[in-house]
Amino acid sequence: MVYDELRKLAAQRLAHEKPGQTLQATALVHEAYLRLVVVDQPQPWDGRHHFFAAAAEAMRRILVENARRKKRLKRGGDRQRLDLDQVAGKAELADDRLLAIDEALETLSREDPQAAQLVKLRFFAGLSVTDAAGVLGISRANAYEQWAYARAWLRCVVQDDEAT
């Protein structure tokens, strides 16, 4: 029932990845689904919102693992991949930046779990602020405040990491 919506969210998320991405929206949805539906231990979903929050988290983890895998020397991590057609093009979100955002997001989740969850829903699931507010069960105004705070906090942390 939710396959089309998950696929749309995955396609939105992958649109922010750098060109030449080998992971496709369909594969991302299938991998996330396999992680969400464990046959031995059925999950008690508390509704649509709970499921989509878990799906956003699963997609985030898959993308981070994919970025880490590509950074390994075995996979040519010290080399930069370039498409001949897009040599002048620049990656929208490099693997290093994705890893830095993931580390910062882990820190934010310890300080403000709800703001971190909002970022995951917005950044990795592609939900709007209003939809993410519905998933989290908070007001739209509160979601906008937390989104502004989380974006500023993450920007400061990621820029500080890049400077050092």
Side-chain angles (χ1 to χ4, degrees):
M1 290 178 11
V2 297
Y3 180 79
D4 290 333
E5 195 164 346
L6 282 175
R7 190 165 185 325
K8 184 176 82 173
L9 293 175
Q12 288 173 348
R13 179 61 205 117
L14 287 173
H16 297 291
E17 293 293 316
K18 68 181 181 179
Q21 176 64 259
T22 56
L23 190 60
Q24 296 176 346
T26 304
L28 180 58
V29 169
H30 290 184
E31 183 68 28
Y33 182 79
L34 288 174
R35 291 182 184 202
L36 291 173
V37 181
V38 179
V39 178
D40 299 341
Q41 303 170 341
Q43 293 290 329
W45 302 113
D46 292 336
R48 180 178 187 271
H49 301 308
H50 183 222
F51 177 78
F52 279 105
E57 177 66 17
M59 287 184 198
R60 178 184 75 88
R61 290 178 186 213
I62 292 165
L63 290 170
V64 168
E65 288 170 6
N66 195 33
R68 285 185 178 140
R69 186 173 32 255
K70 284 198 261 180
K71 294 273 305 162
R72 292 191 187 119
L73 288 177
K74 177 180 176 181
R75 308 269 183 239
D78 59 341
R79 313 269 172 151
Q80 184 178 3
R81 294 180 185 202
L82 298 173
D83 281 342
L84 293 178
D85 297 340
Q86 301 175 351
V87 171
K90 189 173 181 180
E92 214 174 301
L93 185 62
D95 293 336
D96 290 337
R97 193 158 175 86
L98 181 62
L99 294 175
I101 289 171
D102 181 59
E103 288 177 22
L105 197 53
E106 290 297 323
T107 304
L108 178 62
S109 68
R110 288 190 293 275
E111 292 183 20
D112 191 345
Q114 195 170 46
Q117 187 64 25
L118 180 67
V119 171
K120 290 175 190 175
L121 291 171
R122 292 273 298 134
F123 189 76
F124 292 99
L127 296 180
S128 67
V129 174
T130 304
D131 291 340
V135 168
L136 294 173
I138 59 176
S139 71
R140 202 177 113 204
N142 189 1
Y144 274 104
E145 288 174 12
Q146 286 190 6
W147 176 239
Y149 162 74
R151 276 190 2 224
W153 189 91
L154 287 169
R155 182 173 288 130
C156 289
V157 170
V158 170
Q159 284 176 351
D160 285 346
D161 286 348
E162 288 176 355
T164 56

